[in-house]
Amino acid sequence: MFPTVREVLALDPVRHGAPRVVAGDDGLDRPVRWVHVAEVPDIATLLGGGELVLTTGIGLPADDAGLRAFIGDLADVGVSGLVVELGRRYLSGVPRVMAAAADRRGLPLVELRRATPFVRITEAVHALIVDAQLTELRATEEIHQRFNDLSVEGADTAEVIRQAAELSGCPVVLENLSRQVLGYDPAGESAELLLDGWEQHSRRIRPAGRTAYDLDSGWLVTTVGARGQDWGRLLLRWPASGDVPSAQAGEPTNGPPTRLTILIERAASTLALGRLIRRDAEGLERQIHRTLLTALLDHSRPVDEVGLRAKALGVVLDRRHLVGVMVRHRADDAAGEVGPEGAQARLRDLAEAVGQAVREAKLTALTSAVDDHSVGALLALPDPAAEDRALSAFASALHRVRLDAGTGRASTAGVDPARGAGPAAVIVAAGSGVGSLREARRSLVEARQIAEAARRDRRDLPIFRLPHVGLAGLLHLLRDEPRLQTFVERELGTLLEYDARHPREQLLDTLRAYLEQGRNKSAAAAAAHLSRPAFYERLARIARILDVDLDSVEAALSLHVALLALEAVRAP
């Protein structure tokens, strides 16, 4: 928000004095925070940095050493520049020793060759500063208003990112904790260039603090999260050209304008809030079902309250054997073919089919869509012995309901006759049965995880249970879990950062070969197409980077799980 020395020299009151820069040309883009008139040599002790000092020189030292010390003191305190009016102390020009000292310290030194009232200069510069501050304030108010509106409207992630890019004029990227891109807006630049090699590039951006500017890369970064749970980073590249100048438009040399820091923080808070908001257009009863299921999944309401409200709906959950069930379409790409509205219609129809299947199977359950892809059900059974029978009855009833719906209205029921309407069209996953409502969340989360992992399973099973899901599948379904991403970063972060700095080595591939070959170094060297000495040297380097003993079974197991998890979070 501050003008530069160069801009100050262009003001009419300064131009009236016929200014001439005699030293420190490279510093003319320094911001001027204030103008200070001084006629004493020890003025530096009264300054805070960023001032443009005006003087006639009448109080300056007469000896060369004193002038050098005066210039050194001003440079040390960080003044923007020194303007000397000729005619009183210095007639034809400032002393050469003063100019040499200023040039040596990069301090702009300007002569005014005609007498100029300093008050006119200070008034003009201070007016410029105040105007800039008012402009900054108006821009900040617009930012707050824009993101307040987005929060109230429940804008999606893409819209929030688009607005941030539009307001800033800079590329904006949203990533998760594993440096995978969740959304972006290139602000008119090439998206391919922006995202090429993103993960490695992002790992080199390591600012200090929740919101900070990384001077080396030119990215302004803030952490995204709510309720004490961080789940991503929002990054804004300033300037858009990627070249960080010494100063631009009067801004400080160590970062972007304050308004951009405010903007990225407001955008991050809007994204975090949007993740917490649950919008639904279902009927009142279905909304209550969803509220209760969501409360169990998110711990947003006391368990006793959930049980009481469910009982009021006619769904008794106390003293019952509870089984969490999740139903989802096998592929998300089918939803993308019909657009957002069509996808919502498919999800609503699937929710209706699940509710009807519960009724036809004569079961008691809470049922509702629980996210953009899945429909959940919490079955309340009289005893554990009824679990297998009830799940089979539910799966059969759902199959029949969807077949019947496909006959009359396949497009809205989510059944594509061209692809078939059998059980393979959707995934039915069930968690482990539990004996109390306080444990119901575990069963629901387990069912959700199994359903997510089963998308990669081509078997045609009526119901997927935990034994059907391997470790790789389990990690795939947990890929959006911040704690898993944190585990990957803790185990492999230093090695990933090393590979980002040394792209030709890629030690991660060496570690993968070693672990996939059961820690058989000879077989791993052959699989990696390396000589054994070269492979052994790489293993030793990996051990030093990660500070682990690769011969330890426990350490190798932990690293292998982290590698599988990394592949899961990188999967589209």
Side-chain angles (χ1 to χ4, degrees), residues 293 296-299 321-328 370-371 374-378 387-388 391 427-435 438-455 463-470 473-478 481 483:
L293 280 176
L296 290 173
L297 286 167
D298 298 345
H299 293 302
H321 183 73
L322 305 175
V323 183
V325 176
M326 290 287 168
V327 182
R328 63 168 296 149
V370 294
D371 54 40
S374 306
V375 177
L378 182 62
E387 181 177 316
D388 292 338
L391 289 173
I427 295 167
V428 181
S432 303
V434 296
R438 295 187 183 281
E439 299 176 281
R441 180 182 184 275
R442 175 166 58 85
S443 184
L444 286 166
V445 171
E446 186 178 299
R448 174 187 274 173
Q449 294 172 343
I450 295 169
E452 182 71 17
R455 294 172 57 213
I463 301 174
F464 283 86
R465 305 297 298 268
L466 192 57
H468 300 135
V469 180
L474 184 63
L475 293 172
H476 175 80
L477 60 91
L478 292 173
E481 170 59 49
R483 285 174 292 184

Side-chain angles (χ1 to χ4, degrees), residues 312-543:
L313 285 174
V315 182
V316 179
L317 302 177
D318 293 329
R319 298 181 182 179
R320 295 292 190 273
H321 183 73
L322 305 175
V323 183
V325 176
M326 290 287 168
V327 182
R328 63 168 296 149
H329 291 94
R330 184 174 287 275
D332 293 335
D333 56 357
E337 294 173 2
V338 296
E341 293 184 2
Q344 287 299 314
R346 292 172 75 251
L347 187 64
R348 284 195 300 270
D349 288 336
L350 183 59
E352 291 177 5
V354 169
Q356 187 175 342
V358 167
R359 291 189 293 271
E360 289 194 9
K362 296 181 171 55
L363 298 171
T364 300
L366 290 174
T367 66
S368 172
V370 294
D371 54 40
D372 291 339
H373 305 291
S374 306
V375 177
L378 182 62
L379 304 183
L381 308 177
D383 57 74
E387 181 177 316
D388 292 338
R389 184 173 64 254
L391 289 173
S392 296
F394 168 75
S396 299
L398 180 62
H399 180 67
R400 289 193 304 272
V401 168
R402 297 188 72 249
L403 279 176
D404 292 343
T407 302
R409 54 190 186 96
S411 62
T412 58
V415 181
D416 187 347
R419 298 185 180 184
V426 296
I427 295 167
V428 181
S432 303
V434 296
S436 71
L437 187 56
R438 295 187 183 281
E439 299 176 281
R441 180 182 184 275
R442 175 166 58 85
S443 184
L444 286 166
V445 171
E446 186 178 299
R448 174 187 274 173
Q449 294 172 343
I450 295 169
E452 182 71 17
R455 294 172 57 213
R456 308 177 75 185
D457 196 316
R458 295 295 97 188
R459 289 176 294 176
D460 186 8
L461 300 178
I463 301 174
F464 283 86
R465 305 297 298 268
L466 192 57
H468 300 135
V469 180
L471 177 60
L474 184 63
L475 293 172
H476 175 80
L477 60 91
L478 292 173
R479 66 189 185 279
D480 293 326
E481 170 59 49
R483 285 174 292 184
L484 181 67
Q485 297 170 11
T486 300
F487 168 73
V488 172
E489 293 300 307
R490 185 175 65 247
E491 293 293 315
L492 299 173
T494 53
L495 188 62
L496 291 168
E497 290 168 5
Y498 180 89
D499 280 356
R501 295 192 303 269
H502 306 84
R504 294 186 178 181
E505 295 188 40
Q506 294 303 304
L507 295 181
L508 190 72
D509 293 337
T510 303
L511 178 63
R512 181 181 291 109
Y514 173 67
L515 296 174
E516 288 180 349
Q517 295 299 321
R519 297 188 297 127
N520 184 321
K521 297 180 181 178
S522 298
H529 306 290
L530 293 170
S531 66
R532 281 188 290 181
F535 188 80
Y536 295 165
E537 190 278 330
R538 283 193 170 204
L539 284 182
R541 201 180 323 154
I542 291 170

Side-chain angles (χ1 to χ4, degrees), residues 17 37 62 131 133 138 143 291 450 452 458 488 500 546 572:
V37 179
D131 287 345
Q133 289 174 332
R138 284 192 289 268
I143 290 169
T291 297
I450 295 169
E452 182 71 17
R458 295 295 97 188
V488 172
L546 294 177

Side-chain angles (χ1 to χ4, degrees), residues 120-141:
R120 294 182 182 176
I121 296 177
T122 58
E123 286 176 346
V125 176
H126 293 167
L128 199 62
I129 292 172
V130 171
D131 287 345
Q133 289 174 332
L134 289 175
T135 300
E136 187 85 356
L137 180 59
R138 284 192 289 268
T140 301
E141 289 176 348

Side-chain angles (χ1 to χ4, degrees), residues 70-134:
F70 173 70
I71 294 295
D73 290 343
L74 293 181
D76 289 341
V77 82
V79 300
S80 300
L82 174 63
V83 178
V84 180
E85 183 188 75
L86 303 180
R88 298 196 181 186
R89 174 66 181 276
Y90 308 119
L91 299 179
S92 60
V94 297
R96 292 183 180 180
V97 65
M98 179 186 290
D103 216 24
R104 196 162 44 247
R105 298 298 301 269
L107 178 67
L109 177 59
V110 181
E111 294 176 343
L112 294 181
R113 289 167 290 174
R114 282 204 301 261
T116 302
F118 284 170
V119 65
R120 294 182 182 176
I121 296 177
T122 58
E123 286 176 346
V125 176
H126 293 167
L128 199 62
I129 292 172
V130 171
D131 287 345
Q133 289 174 332
L134 289 175

